Amino acid sequence: FQEVCSELWCLSKSNRCITNSIPAAEGTICQTNTIEKGWCYKRECVPFGTRPEGVDGAWGAWSFWGECSRTCGGGVSSSIRHCDSPRPTIGGKYCLGERKRYRSCNTDDCPPGSQDFRELQCAEFDNVPFRGKYYTWKTYRGGGVKACSLNCLAEGFNFYTERAAAVVDGTPCRQDSNDICVNGECKHVGCDRVLGSDSKEDKCRVCGGDGSSCETVEGVFNQSLPEGGYEEVIQIPKGSVHIDIRELNLSINYLALRGESGEYYINGKLSIDPPRRFDIAGTTFHYRRSPEEPESLEALGPTNITLYVMVLVRTELQGIRYKFNAPIGRDASNQYSWHYTPWTKCSALCAGGSQIQSVVCKKLSDGSTVFNHFCSPETKMPERQRLCNTEPCPPAWVIGNWSECSRSCNEGVRTRSVFCKRKISATEEKTLDDASCTHPRPKMLEPCNNQTCPPEWVALDWSECTPSCGPGFRHRIVLCKSGDHSATLPTSQCYEGSKPPTSMRCNLRRCPPPRWVTGEWGECSAQCGLGQQRRSVQCLAHTGQPSSDCVQTLQPPGMQQCETKCESGPTDNPEECKDVNKVAYCPLVLKFKFCSRTYFRQMCCKTCQGH
């Protein structure tokens, strides 16, 4: 006969071989001269478990960059690609690598006075009822929450809640940090507000600077001061950064902060502010005070006015340490203007890259780059961009990441995709024959994890749940097997602490409640006329066992009245008239003159005769 995969033959009841000239179903077990065990796949017998025509997937071109998530302050734009060049067919591997990429956009400062980006997102929920009520939502800045979830505080109420699992892309992860949230995760951002950038501020808070535009001012103030009022400790010039003022020891004196015009921002008018954050002089000051730690004032800066550190003296001064970085030549009238940076390096060596000229604010006196707010936003020039290296790339091997090892031990294999491709442009790529790329071709398969597997527990299938209702248990057998599962070993060979459970609780369904069960009614106690009949009434559980949990009010009656048809004939006939009751109460019926009642006259017919 021909191979089963191409034509299926069957044996009829009359022992004749017949066929409908159709192949066996896909997956039918087959055997050939070269294949000991196979299955049918597209009319051919192939080794069991294989699909020979599987095609691995490859990435398509990246899409255009999407809309920026923010209009200012450092947003995020994304681009995606799909595993469709080609799509993986049955048996082929899916693409490895990132499906989505991100880049920074609209990195300019937001206009002065703009609302905080997190505050804006919380405020969007002011008109959305929460548990049936409306609240005014503010940003929750306490601990114990994810940096990139939107947690809002109900103003005037002592609770906060998560209003969204992820903030809008480009939202800062935390205050006083450049890092931003992207797709719900905190990502590093350089001081140039570019995602993944390594740009760092120098000690003067100049992005990418060399630290030459400021000088460090530090020391300890411990002069003797008169008690009872405010005394000046040190002046902090406009433009200072990394400000750190702290008491050396615990005391009952208080640090205070005053402006040039004499107005106090912290601990003024002999009243003491609680420790918190203060938005002062274009920066945020952190005022800390506790029974365990000396008082401190810290700010990143730069400040936009000159400040004076004061002390409210209550007792002898213990000493105050100060340290900040003040701008050099701060008394000179500095001028600032916008400048184009040099063209960046081409983003690609071939197939069309791009170059960018950014616009930065520079101090004219020394040419150093400073924060954008020193320059006027109205005079800022647009960023420039141009194409470069537009010629196609030479053919090259495109190598995917290694897959996970097929086995953790006992000699597995790992694979990767290897294609010969030529990039024509930023959006176009051609797959070529392997001969077009330099040889040898990189390996697509290699052995891994060749160490012998240790013995391990192997659990068989769970049994049915017993009993069939109510709380019960399932059971299974757990064996200690060799690493290749070829032999069953003594249980001592496997680690007892990792043994899977051999039983588990289960509950298929609730058991039906106990119910009243009644027997058949017995015979009527009267052979003629009205009498009584009885039956058994039991409370039984679903198992048939007696129970005491039935509802008493629903108990069926165990006795009822009945009536037996009397035989016809004259009741005064002495032969037919007789006392039905075997119990001797008929004389009592006569005594109490009950013979006039129909029931007793029938039951005591003979006794009542003539009365």
Side-chain angles (χ1 to χ4, degrees):
F1 292 131
Q2 289 186 347
E3 170 56 45
V4 66
C5 295
S6 59
E7 191 171 13
L8 179 66
W9 287 82
C10 301
L11 197 64
S12 70
K13 290 182 180 178
S14 57
N15 278 347
R16 286 178 57 224
C17 282
I18 58 173
T19 182
N20 284 338
S21 297
I22 58 173
E26 297 278 86
T28 303
I29 302 298
C30 59
Q31 191 173 14
T32 68
N33 294 336
T34 56
I35 299 173
E36 186 176 337
K37 184 181 180 182
W39 63 1
C40 292
Y41 181 76
K42 296 192 175 179
R43 290 181 175 249
E44 288 187 14
C45 189
V46 298
F48 188 78
T50 59
R51 290 185 177 91
E53 295 178 6
V55 174
D56 290 346
W59 289 113
W62 287 104
S63 70
F64 292 111
W65 289 102
E67 187 179 353
C68 195
S69 64
R70 296 186 65 174
T71 56
C72 61
V76 175
S77 174
S78 65
S79 167
I80 63 169
R81 58 180 178 173
H82 300 284
C83 188
D84 57 3
S85 298
R87 293 180 184 278
T89 61
I90 295 173
K93 294 181 179 64
Y94 195 76
C95 301
L96 298 172
E98 294 290 335
R99 195 178 72 87
K100 197 169 188 179
R101 61 180 179 174
Y102 300 90
R103 74 173 181 183
S104 295
C105 50
N106 294 344
T107 56
D108 297 340
D109 286 330
C110 290
S114 298
Q115 191 174 3
D116 177 81
F117 197 43
R118 269 186 196 261
E119 295 287 7
L120 277 171
Q121 294 173 61
C122 280
E124 287 181 4
F125 290 94
D126 288 356
N127 298 321
V128 179
F130 177 72
R131 294 178 183 165
K133 293 183 180 179
Y134 291 90
Y135 298 92
T136 301
W137 297 100
K138 299 292 180 185
T139 302
Y140 171 71
R141 302 200 184 275
V145 294
K146 294 176 184 172
C148 289
S149 60
L150 184 65
N151 292 278
C152 304
L153 185 75
E155 195 172 37
F157 297 86
N158 191 25
F159 75 90
Y160 70 92
T161 185
E162 184 182 283
R163 298 312 319 255
V167 290
V168 176
D169 287 353
T171 305
C173 304
R174 61 193 74 83
Q175 287 181 304
D176 302 330
S177 169
N178 291 320
D179 296 345
I180 62 171
C181 295
V182 179
N183 199 25
E185 293 183 8
C186 192
K187 300 292 184 184
H188 174 68
V189 169
C191 60
D192 53 3
R193 285 198 175 137
V194 174
L195 203 58
S197 163
D198 289 330
S199 297
K200 293 182 176 66
E201 292 180 347
D202 65 3
K203 69 173 186 175
C204 311
R205 296 212 67 199
V206 175
C207 190
D210 60 0
S212 60
S213 62
C214 69
E215 59 186 349
T216 300
V217 179
E218 62 179 320
V220 176
F221 183 93
N222 54 9
Q223 298 173 25
S224 182
L225 295 173
E227 297 173 15
Y230 290 99
E231 298 294 333
E232 183 179 325
V233 173
I234 192 165
Q235 175 184 332
I236 302 176
K238 175 182 176 180
S240 294
V241 296
H242 294 296
I243 301 162
D244 187 351
I245 315 292
R246 59 186 64 239
E247 287 187 307
L248 290 179
N249 297 298
L250 286 167
S251 77
I252 58 171
N253 299 321
Y254 292 98
L255 295 173
L257 206 58
R258 178 174 68 80
E260 291 175 285
S261 307
E263 72 279 22
Y264 277 84
Y265 299 112
I266 300 175
N267 291 346
K269 298 180 180 177
L270 299 177
S271 64
I272 307 304
D273 292 306
R276 58 185 174 91
R277 302 162 63 97
F278 291 86
D279 292 325
I280 300 167
T283 185
T284 301
F285 274 84
H286 297 264
Y287 174 46
R288 298 183 177 92
R289 183 182 73 238
S290 75
E292 295 83 23
E293 295 286 333
E295 243 184 331
S296 67
L297 272 171
E298 288 182 273
L300 278 175
T303 54
N304 58 13
I305 59 172
T306 298
L307 295 170
Y308 296 86
V309 177
M310 312 292 288
V311 59
L312 178 56
V313 187
R314 295 279 181 81
T315 184
E316 186 180 344
L317 209 61
Q318 299 289 318
I320 296 170
R321 181 182 295 281
Y322 56 86
K323 182 177 181 180
F324 54 87
N325 297 337
I328 293 175
R330 48 189 177 274
D331 297 324
S333 56
N334 293 320
Q335 296 288 320
Y336 304 94
S337 68
W338 296 108
H339 291 268
Y340 278 110
T341 61
W343 286 105
T344 60
K345 188 178 176 183
C346 191
S347 62
L349 295 172
C350 51
S354 63
Q355 290 176 287
I356 295 172
Q357 265 193 317
S358 301
V359 179
V360 295
C361 182
K362 288 194 173 184
K363 192 186 335 184
L364 296 178
S365 59
D366 61 2
S368 63
T369 300
V370 295
F371 279 95
N372 286 350
H373 63 249
F374 285 103
C375 291
S376 170
E378 289 80 19
T379 59
K380 187 177 182 182
M381 302 87 76
E383 183 180 86
R384 291 173 179 165
Q385 189 168 356
R386 70 182 181 188
L387 293 174
C388 51
N389 295 347
T390 54
E391 69 283 354
C393 296
W397 295 110
V398 177
I399 301 169
N401 294 328
W402 284 111
S403 67
E404 291 288 322
C405 193
S406 62
R407 304 183 67 165
S408 58
C409 48
N410 279 2
E411 297 180 357
V413 290
R414 60 178 188 164
T415 58
R416 64 181 178 182
S417 60
V418 178
F419 290 102
C420 180
K421 290 193 174 184
R422 186 176 197 190
K423 195 169 186 181
I424 308 299
S425 68
T427 57
E428 186 184 358
E429 197 173 52
K430 282 188 177 177
T431 303
L432 308 175
D433 293 334
D434 288 356
S436 303
C437 285
T438 56
H439 276 72
R441 181 185 189 181
K443 284 195 299 184
M444 297 178 65
L445 183 144
E446 71 175 16
C448 52
N449 295 342
N450 58 359
Q451 70 275 19
T452 304
C453 293
E456 63 178 349
W457 296 105
V458 176
L460 305 186
D461 291 340
W462 287 106
S463 68
E464 293 292 323
C465 186
T466 55
S468 59
C469 71
F473 281 91
R474 298 182 191 273
H475 300 279
R476 67 178 175 183
I477 295 171
V478 177
L479 302 172
C480 180
K481 291 270 194 178
S482 59
D484 57 2
H485 288 204
S486 62
T488 301
L489 306 175
T491 55
S492 59
Q493 296 285 309
C494 290
Y495 174 54
E496 188 65 30
S498 65
K499 184 176 181 179
T502 56
S503 64
M504 67 181 277
R505 294 183 180 276
C506 56
N507 197 332
L508 291 178
R509 59 187 174 86
R510 290 180 63 182
C511 291
R515 60 191 181 91
W516 292 106
V517 177
T518 58
E520 295 291 327
W521 285 107
E523 288 187 9
C524 193
S525 61
Q527 293 180 4
C528 176
L530 296 173
Q532 293 173 325
Q533 59 183 161
R534 297 177 181 274
R535 66 176 175 182
S536 64
V537 178
Q538 288 181 287
C539 176
L540 298 180
H542 72 281
T543 57
Q545 298 294 317
S547 172
S548 59
D549 294 333
C550 294
V551 181
Q552 290 298 325
T553 56
L554 299 179
Q555 181 175 357
M559 185 169 69
Q560 71 177 9
Q561 201 173 42
C562 57
E563 185 177 1
T564 306
K565 196 170 184 182
C566 297
E567 293 181 11
S568 59
T571 54
D572 54 354
N573 188 332
E575 290 181 8
E576 292 184 4
C577 183
K578 58 185 178 181
D579 292 345
V580 174
N581 276 83
K582 296 182 173 67
V583 186
Y585 74 72
C586 284
L588 296 174
V589 170
L590 188 64
K591 181 180 177 181
F592 291 109
K593 298 180 181 178
F594 282 177
C595 283
S596 59
R597 301 186 187 182
T598 308
Y599 172 78
F600 290 106
R601 189 171 187 83
Q602 287 176 341
M603 301 305 285
C604 302
C605 177
K606 190 171 183 180
T607 304
C608 288
Q609 244 178 350
H611 294 280

